[in-house]
Amino acid sequence: MLLHDLDAAIRRTEAAMRALEARMQHAVGDLDYESYLHEKRALTAALLALRKRREREENFSQNSVSSDRIKDK
């Protein structure tokens, strides 16, 4: 996955979390609140995974550029 695709996925996940948090504020004490908590945990885990993947790909890209520079010398 390209870095800009990961950035877009992160932005979409963050937007979904903000929308969910707004729904959660209106559902406090409601039965839906528990299902919202479950959904929030899933979104949080997905967001963390996306951020870690982006970090790995950024590090890989930087290492590739560095190794290319060494080869050119």
Side-chain angles (χ1 to χ4, degrees):
M1 188 177 281
L2 298 173
L3 285 176
H4 63 83
D5 293 339
L6 285 171
D7 289 337
I10 288 170
R11 283 192 302 276
R12 286 191 306 272
T13 305
E14 288 171 339
M17 287 184 71
R18 286 189 298 275
L20 176 63
E21 288 170 356
R23 287 193 314 252
M24 288 176 76
Q25 287 178 350
H26 298 291
V28 172
D30 192 347
L31 293 176
D32 289 335
Y33 190 78
E34 287 298 318
S35 63
Y36 291 156
L37 280 177
H38 178 73
E39 186 178 347
K40 184 175 181 178
R41 282 187 217 109
L43 285 171
T44 301
L47 185 59
L48 288 172
L50 286 167
R51 286 179 175 161
K52 284 181 182 180
R53 186 170 178 185
R54 179 180 61 185
E55 183 178 324
R56 281 193 312 268
E57 291 199 13
E58 285 174 343
N59 289 337
F60 177 77
S61 295
Q62 290 172 355
N63 290 338
S64 295
V65 169
S66 295
S67 65
D68 287 345
R69 288 181 186 155
I70 291 171
K71 289 177 189 175
D72 290 340
K73 288 184 176 182

